[in-house]
Amino acid sequence: MIVVIQCKDQVGLVAGITGVLAKEQLNIVSLREHVDKIENRFFIRVHLEVETDSQALESKLKQVLPEDAVIKVNPLPEKKVVVLVTKEYHCLGDILIRHYFKTLGAQVQCVIGNHDTLENICQRFDIPFYLVSHEQKDRDVFESQVSSLIDKYTPDYIVLAKFMRILSPGFVAKYTGRLINIHHSFLPAFVGASPYRQAFERGVKLIGATAHFVTNELDEGPIIAQQIIPVTHSHTAGDMMKAGKEIETAVLAKALHLVFEDRVFVYKNKTVVFE
Amino acid sequence: MIVVIQCKDQVGLVAGITGVLAKEQLNIVSLREHVDKIENRFFIRVHLEVETDSQALESKLKQVLPEDAVIKVNPLPEKKVVVLVTKEYHCLGDILIRHYFKTLGAQVQCVIGNHDTLENICQRFDIPFYLVSHEQKDRDVFESQVSSLIDKYTPDYIVLAKFMRILSPGFVAKYTGRLINIHHSFLPAFVGASPYRQAFERGVKLIGATAHFVTNELDEGPIIAQQIIPVTHSHTAGDMMKAGKEIETAVLAKALHLVFEDRVFVYKNKTVVFE
Amino acid sequence: MIVVIQCKDQVGLVAGITGVLAKEQLNIVSLREHVDKIENRFFIRVHLEVETDSQALESKLKQVLPEDAVIKVNPLPEKKVVVLVTKEYHCLGDILIRHYFKTLGAQVQCVIGNHDTLENICQRFDIPFYLVSHEQKDRDVFESQVSSLIDKYTPDYIVLAKFMRILSPGFVAKYTGRLINIHHSFLPAFVGASPYRQAFERGVKLIGATAHFVTNELDEGPIIAQQIIPVTHSHTAGDMMKAGKEIETAVLAKALHLVFEDRVFVYKNKTVVFE
Amino acid sequence: MIVVIQCKDQVGLVAGITGVLAKEQLNIVSLREHVDKIENRFFIRVHLEVETDSQALESKLKQVLPEDAVIKVNPLPEKKVVVLVTKEYHCLGDILIRHYFKTLGAQVQCVIGNHDTLENICQRFDIPFYLVSHEQKDRDVFESQVSSLIDKYTPDYIVLAKFMRILSPGFVAKYTGRLINIHHSFLPAFVGASPYRQAFERGVKLIGATAHFVTNELDEGPIIAQQIIPVTHSHTAGDMMKAGKEIETAVLAKALHLVFEDRVFVYKNKTVVFE
C-alpha cells in the first residue's frame, strides 16, 4: 500500500506522518522523502507492508499535516489513460504490447488519432480507435472534438504518444498535470520542429528524448525522464531519427511506469521522482 | 549534519527516530530508508539542516532503537585513509589530485607500495610513501610489515588502489569493513587473474570494473559500485586493459565518494547505498 | 548495395576488392574493414551507392580473393526468420510490432512455442503459431518435431526469443550460425539458470543481457551485443527480472538489426560487428 | 604507421590509395573510411602494420588523389600542446597525471593561466606555468600576451581546460583547427554562462559536457565528443556542477585521446571521428 503526500515544509512532518503509521502498526517497507529548500516544499512516498482502511488513514494523516497538503492513500493501482497519436507507431506499439500483457500499470481506454494510420493496430488489440482529423477545421473545433472523446472516458492521464499537433493553452489548461508528452529531443536542446535535422546539422555525438508533462510553453513543462543514445558522423538525419525512436519508446515507457506507480510529484516547473 | 543508523527492523522505527529529531526542532533536508525484508534489517540516513550536540542526540536516539542498533551521529566528515598500491598509477593519480584539491572527502595519510614505481608521484604531493617489498619473504612477514605501517596511522579505511597482492584471511579479518578494493572486472564475470585476457578471448562487447569491500573470498565481498564501457572486435586485450583503467579510476572514485559521505551500509555480503 | 567478404588475410586484399569496384565505376558510401591479427583473418563490409549485377560482381571479386573467401554480394535485404518461444512475451511482442510496421528487416514466417501462452498474440498479427509441447516426450522427439516445422520454412535465422529449453548438440549443429539467443545475463557472469536470483544474492549494482549465436557450450557462443542496466539494494530478485526484461528486449532487437543488415561476421567463438 | 587523408570524393579513391599500399607490400591492420554525401567529401584513416619512408609514400599517394587532398603519413605520434586554464583544477589535473605517466599521447609544453591558482600544481610536475592576468588591460593586450607565449612553443594544439575567457575572432582565427575547448554543458542546450544554474532551473534529468574545436560562434564549433550523467531532483545547482566536473574531465580526456591519435577530421562545422 502506497501513501504519497506533498505540502509546504515544516519541522516534524516525517515524525508526524510516521507516528500515525506506527500507531496503526503499519510497517514501512520503504520511504523516500525530499525537501525543496528553495520552494520550501515537502514530498514523501511511503510503501507500507500491508493494506488498511484508506479513508480512515487519510483523515488521521490530515491531522498532522498543514492545510495545503495533497494526500493520496493507496492511489488507484491501475490508472486509466487515453492515448493521442498521429502516424508514428513505435510508442503506441510498445504501450499496446505492455497493456495486452498487463504490465503497463494502466488501462488504455481508447486511442485518438488525427490520422487513421494506427487504427488497424488498435483493432488488433480490441482498443477503441477514434479518428479526429484536424484538416479543414479550426483548431478550436478539432480540440473540442478530441476533448469530448477524452471526457467520455474520464482518464487519469492523457498520453501524447507522438501526437504531432500543438495544443492550445485552453486545452492544456483543462488537463493540467494529466498530459504526458514524449519529445523527440534532449530538451532544452533543439526545441521545436525537426530536432533530428537540427541535430544532424549541428553534428552532435549524442541524441536524446524527453518525457514531460505539458504546459503552455512549447516543449517546456516538468521533465519526468530523459535518455540519450550515441550517434556518429555516419548517421544521416534519417538514421538519427530511427535511433531516436528507440529511446523515445524507452523513455516514454519509463516515464509512464514512474507516473503510474505514483513515483512522480510535480511542483511548479519541476518534478520530484522517487525511482 | 548526518545521522546513519542500522539495526534489526521493527514497526515504528522511523516514527521513533524522526520523533526525536522533531522534538529537538531539527529539520530534515533528506531522508533515505531501506528495509531488507529477507534479513529483517533496517537502514536509515538522515540529512539534517543544522548542527546540534552529537552525543546528546545519540543517547536520545538510543532510547527509541533496538539494542543492536549501530548509530553514527555526525560521522567524521574527513575520513583518514591509507592507500596500498603496486605499479599502476591511474587510481592513485586520481586520488592524489582530488586529495590535493581537497575534493576527495578524506585525508590521505600515506601510501604503501610493494614496488617503488609510485614513490616519486607521492613525493610530488608531499604524501609519505613506504616501500614494503613482498620479495624474498613470507606473506606473513610482508603483511605484518604492511600492517604495522597502517596501524601507525589508524586510518578509517584502507584503499587497495590496484594493489596486486592477495591478502591473507588474517589480514582481511583484522581490517574487516575497512578494506576497499577496485577489481578490474565486472564481477562476478572473470574472477581472478588476467580478466582482460579472459574478456578478450570470450569476445565480450562490454567490460567492467567493480569497487567492493574485501572479504576472504577471492574477488567476493560486498559490492559498492560497478560500471561498464563498451568494447568492440577491434580492441586487443591491451586496448581493453587501457579502456578498463578509465572505468577502474571512475568507479573507485565514485565508491570512495559514497563511502566517505557515509552513504554505504554493509550487512552480510551486500551493501545498501543511498546515492 | 552491400558487399561482405570474409577470408584469410594477405597483403593487397582491400586494393584488389576496391580495384574491382572502381573499374565498375561503383562509388563507395562506406567501408569497414578489420583484420584479426591472431587468427590472420580478414573481414570487410562495403556499402555501394548504386545497384549492379550481383553475380557478375561476385565472380569478378572471386578472382582477386583467396580460395577460402566467403563472399556475399547484395545479400537478401529481408531475411526469413522462425521464432522459438516459451511463455515470456517481451521479446516476441517487440519483434511482432516491428514486423507489423515493416521495420524488423526480416519476415517472421512462424512462431513455435513449447507452451500455448503466446498463441493468441501471434494470431492477432496473423503469424502462424505452432504448439510443440516438450512434455511427456523425449528431447529427441521434441526437437525433431520442432526441426520439421522449421525446415518447412527454410529460414535464414532461428531466433530463440526466451525459448527456455536447452537444445541438443545435434540440433545446434544442424542450424549452426543461424541460431540467435537472448541470454538473461551479462555473460559470462551468472551462466545457467536463475541469473536474476544469482545477481540478487550477489548484490550486484548492474544487471545485463547478452544476445549471441548458439553453440554447444551452455550460454557460450559468439556474442553479438550486450547491454546493462543499473540496479540498487532496493531491487528484489523480481524487480531485477522486470528491469532485465527491458534490456533483454532492447539487446535482442539491436542484435537482430545488426545481423539482418549483414553487419555481423562470425569466426570461431567471436564476432566482428560493423555498427 | 598511420595514414590519414581528406579530399573531395570521387570514384576509385579507396582503390587508388590501397593500390599504392599493396604495391609497397604494406599490410593494412585497419581501415576506416567515410564519405559525406552532402558535402561530397572523402575521409580515410589507414593503420599499417609496418613503418616505411613517409615522404616517399606521401608523394606516391598524391599521384592517385585529387589536388585538394590533405595527406598525413605517419603524423607526429606525440603532439605538442599548450594548456590554457583559469581556476578549476579537474581537467588540468587529469592532463598532468596522464602526461606524467606518459599516457596522454602529447607533450605538455606549458600551462598559461589568467589566475595563479594552478601554478603550484604545475610546478609539482615541472611544467612551466605562466600567469597572464586579464585584469586592468584590454582584451587585445591580454590576448597578444597569451599569443606570444603560445607562439614561443609552436604547439600542435591549444587546449582550453576550463579557460573562462571568451576569445576574440582574431585570436580564434589565428589558431583555427588547433583550439580544443571543454564546454560545461550538453551543447546546444544551455549555451553561454552558468549552464548548471540553467539546468537546475529547468529541472533536467541529465547533464552533459561537450569537447569541441573553437570557432567564432559562442559555444559553437565542430563537436568532438559528448557525454552525459544522470541527475535527480535532489541535486542542487552546486551538486550538478560537481557531477558535471566528472564528465568534463572524462570527455576532454577522450577528445584529446582521439585528436592526438589522428582519429578526428574536421570539415566545415562537423567532425568525422574514427574511434
Side-chain angles (χ1 to χ4, degrees), chain B residues 3-10 13-14 16-17 40-44 57-73 265-267:
Chain B
V3 177
V4 292
I5 301 167
Q6 177 182 160
C7 59
K8 71 177 161 64
D9 190 37
Q10 59 189 46
L13 283 174
V14 181
I17 293 161
N40 196 42
R41 197 87 191 153
F42 172 86
F43 307 86
I44 196 167
L57 182 58
E58 188 170 333
S59 41
K60 275 169 196 151
L61 286 168
K62 256 187 191 148
Q63 291 163 26
V64 301
L65 292 170
E67 276 198 13
D68 79 325
V70 182
I71 311 171
K72 290 191 224 167
V73 177
F265 297 74
V266 179
Y267 188 67

Side-chain angles (χ1 to χ4, degrees), chain C residues 1 30 69 81 91 116 141 146 149 162-163 168 216 231 241 245 252 261 268 274:
Chain C
M1 179 163 160
S30 81
V81 300
C91 289
D116 66 0
V141 177
V146 171
L149 276 166
K162 305 294 290 173
F163 179 67
S168 71
N216 277 314
V231 291
M241 186 179 290
K245 285 178 185 187
L252 181 58
E261 286 201 343
K268 294 199 172 168
F274 294 135

Side-chain angles (χ1 to χ4, degrees), chain A residues 89-90 93-94 96-98 100-101 103 117-118 120-121 123-126 234 242 246 253 257 261 275, chain C residues 89-90 93-94 96-98 100-101 103 117-118 120-121 123-126 234 242 246 253 261 275:
Chain A
Y89 77 88
H90 52 288
D94 183 69
L96 291 177
I97 285 284
R98 289 174 197 265
Y100 178 76
F101 287 102
T103 55
T117 318
L118 301 172
N120 183 278
I121 189 73
Q123 282 168 351
R124 285 174 186 263
F125 285 103
D126 304 322
S234 72
K242 256 190 241 172
E246 301 291 326
H257 173 79
E261 286 201 342
E275 279 195 54
Chain C
Y89 77 88
H90 52 289
D94 183 67
L96 291 177
I97 285 284
R98 289 174 198 264
Y100 178 76
F101 288 102
T103 54
T117 318
L118 301 173
N120 182 278
I121 189 73
Q123 283 168 350
R124 284 174 187 262
F125 284 102
D126 305 322
S234 73
K242 257 191 241 173
E246 301 290 327
E261 286 201 343
E275 280 195 54

